[in-house]
Amino acid sequence: MPGRLKYPLLFVVVMLISQGVQGANQQQSIGTGINSIANWGTSVPFVDLFKSARAFPDQAGVSYNESGWPEGLSGGNRVSTIVIDPILSDALPDGQYVVTYRGEGSLEYNTSGSLTDSAPGRDVLSLTPSSSTPFLRVDITASNPANPVRDIHVTLPGGICASAPTRRVDGEAACPDGDYLAFEQYHEDILFNPAFLEYTRNFRVLRFMDYLKTNDSQTRAWSDRARLNDAVWSGSQGGPIEIMVELANRSNANPWINIPHLADDNYVRQLARYVRDNLNPDLKAYIEYSNEAWAGNKLQGQYVRRQGIALGLSANLLQAGGLYYAQRSTEIFKLWEDEFGGVDRLRRVLSGQLANDWLSGIIVNHNQAYLNADLFAINFYIFGDKQYFREQASSVDDIF
């Protein structure tokens, strides 16, 4: 995992699982959105399912550390989180799901499967999603305040051959080159579910609007962002920036990054610096201020309107919002250009509403914002038979 060196073989592992993605999808003309992280998300992006679990709830008698782990339980309290939702029936393999944790305490499982092995710090659950609706709730029923239960992981069955990171295998017998990596031991390095990585490698651009929980975001400062060491990555701040960049790199896909509407200049600069220093230099960073900032039913739409009115840009709410959106977008573009030393690695995105070309004109022409942008995006949505898309369509032409 980025930012951690848990295993001596980390460098070799990452090099092996990153090979074979040099440029093929850059010939594609289509991108995709990356879903928000959630226990009900059928993308199942990670081999450690606990990263997508619900955050532990606030409740009396339970205190949490800054990463979201309960530090102690009092008065017979227990805390619970749902890790596997029944909607994942078609997204999970049958097999042995391994639960590991640090600390002293006890866990209980409300599950569709069965507990087949248990030892301090490690339990094994047998689940068969192919024949019974999967479900897993993890309860911490006791925890020593001096050494609390923490760092829970729930890993998928099996692992990968390092030379074929987009194919899950059941065991080392499936890797004739002897490069088997079990999810239980190497989940921090493998990180992404092989099926998910196989999917993302088909696209030229990955848009992280939902992943970053851009709509109605409350993120203002760099300190507000999601952290790698958070108990779960499904919080209101969206997923960690580090994981976003890592997915773009391993997919060889350009990341489309949505900046929170409340983000201050320091947040914008820190984000730009991280992307500059960690994104594959052959990839381009698409940057967009918020998402659908014209929409009055979203907090970002309400915010840009208030800002536009406060700055005296217009007395008309919709126009004031469009003018402020163009102004703040240009400011953000300039901050990224400053950090990147130019625009060669950037794609600057303005956006508008498909049904309102008047507002689009307001946006692109305000202080000649079009001179500071590379792309103009509109909200065009594709609907149809998802089962056909997944099972029968073999090309973009089939879908359209």
Side-chain angles (χ1 to χ4, degrees):
M1 177 181 297
R4 297 183 182 181
L5 184 60
K6 182 172 182 181
Y7 303 108
L9 293 178
L10 175 64
F11 178 74
V12 176
V13 170
V14 172
M15 287 295 291
L16 283 169
I17 64 180
S18 297
Q19 67 184 17
V21 291
Q22 301 302 315
N25 56 343
Q26 288 303 304
Q27 305 306 312
Q28 300 291 340
S29 57
I30 194 169
T32 192
I34 301 299
N35 287 342
S36 57
I37 300 171
N39 69 293
W40 43 262
T42 54
S43 298
V44 191
F46 308 117
V47 296
D48 178 6
L49 299 180
F50 202 85
K51 290 303 181 186
S52 301
R54 297 182 186 179
F56 289 109
D58 292 331
Q59 61 188 69
V62 181
S63 59
Y64 293 92
N65 67 16
E66 62 180 9
S67 296
W69 294 109
E71 292 185 310
L73 307 177
S74 61
N77 275 296
R78 64 169 62 199
V79 292
S80 305
T81 181
I82 296 176
V83 181
I84 297 176
D85 187 276
I87 199 173
L88 301 184
S89 293
D90 296 330
L92 296 175
D94 294 350
Q96 306 296 305
Y97 289 70
V98 179
V99 181
T100 58
Y101 60 93
R102 296 172 60 204
E104 298 175 8
S106 60
L107 302 183
E108 290 183 2
Y109 308 103
N110 182 328
T111 179
S112 58
S114 58
L115 180 66
T116 60
D117 190 31
S118 182
R122 185 180 186 273
D123 294 325
V124 179
L125 304 171
S126 178
L127 275 74
T128 54
S130 65
S131 58
S132 61
T133 302
F135 181 76
L136 174 60
R137 190 186 76 202
V138 175
D139 298 355
I140 302 177
T141 58
S143 186
N144 179 357
N147 185 20
V149 172
R150 62 199 184 278
D151 296 347
I152 301 173
H153 305 286
V154 179
T155 50
L156 291 172
I160 61 168
C161 307
S163 54
T166 60
R167 182 173 66 92
R168 190 191 70 82
V169 297
D170 289 328
E172 58 186 337
C175 301
D177 294 333
D179 58 349
Y180 176 67
L181 301 172
F183 293 145
E184 178 184 356
Q185 286 79 25
Y186 289 95
H187 59 86
E188 291 191 346
D189 303 329
I190 297 169
L191 188 56
F192 299 111
N193 182 350
F196 178 69
L197 191 60
E198 181 183 35
Y199 171 77
T200 61
R201 286 185 174 185
N202 287 300
F203 299 95
R204 185 174 181 176
V205 177
L206 302 178
R207 189 168 187 254
F208 288 91
M209 184 274 292
D210 283 322
Y211 172 92
L212 295 170
K213 295 193 174 174
T214 305
N215 290 328
D216 303 324
S217 173
Q218 294 298 307
T219 298
R220 293 176 180 269
W222 187 238
S223 58
D224 296 335
R225 72 191 187 283
R227 307 299 180 97
L228 285 174
N229 62 352
D230 286 345
V232 298
W233 293 340
S234 59
S236 61
Q237 314 95 322
I241 299 299
E242 296 89 341
I243 303 305
M244 173 188 73
V245 174
E246 187 71 10
L247 179 60
N249 284 339
R250 295 199 196 181
S251 304
N252 194 47
N254 304 305
W256 183 317
I257 304 165
N258 297 79
I259 314 296
H261 66 279
L262 298 175
D264 61 26
D265 285 357
N266 181 61
Y267 178 99
V268 175
R269 283 193 179 276
Q270 295 292 343
L271 175 58
R273 288 170 189 168
Y274 186 85
V275 175
R276 177 196 67 197
D277 295 341
N278 293 278
L279 183 66
N280 181 333
D282 294 331
L283 297 174
K284 312 293 185 184
Y286 288 60
I287 50 175
E288 178 187 6
Y289 176 45
S290 193
N291 172 67
E292 294 188 357
W294 45 263
N297 63 335
K298 295 183 173 70
L299 292 183
Q300 60 265 34
Q302 298 163 21
Y303 174 79
V304 298
R305 294 179 184 190
R306 290 196 304 270
Q307 292 300 105
I309 292 291
L311 292 172
L313 299 180
S314 174
N316 177 284
L317 268 178
L318 185 59
Q319 184 176 29
L323 293 170
Y324 178 77
Y325 167 77
Q327 178 175 309
R328 184 56 180 157
S329 293
T330 301
E331 292 170 355
I332 288 171
F333 297 157
K334 293 296 185 183
L335 292 171
W336 278 68
E337 291 166 30
D338 184 49
E339 295 298 332
F340 272 71
V343 299
D344 288 349
R345 297 178 61 195
L346 301 177
R347 292 293 181 267
R348 301 159 298 174
V349 183
L350 290 171
S351 66
Q353 186 180 18
L354 177 63
N356 194 337
D357 54 1
W358 170 80
L359 182 61
S360 297
I362 293 293
I363 291 169
V364 298
N365 288 299
H366 180 52
N367 291 333
Q368 296 183 307
Y370 63 88
L371 294 178
N372 298 294
D374 304 295
L375 302 169
F376 190 83
I378 54 174
N379 61 315
F380 184 78
Y381 299 101
I382 299 173
F383 297 93
D385 184 346
K386 290 183 288 186
Q387 185 173 2
Y388 169 78
F389 289 169
R390 292 174 177 172
E391 298 178 4
Q392 299 182 46
S394 59
S395 68
V396 174
D397 288 341
D398 287 346
I399 291 175
F400 286 98

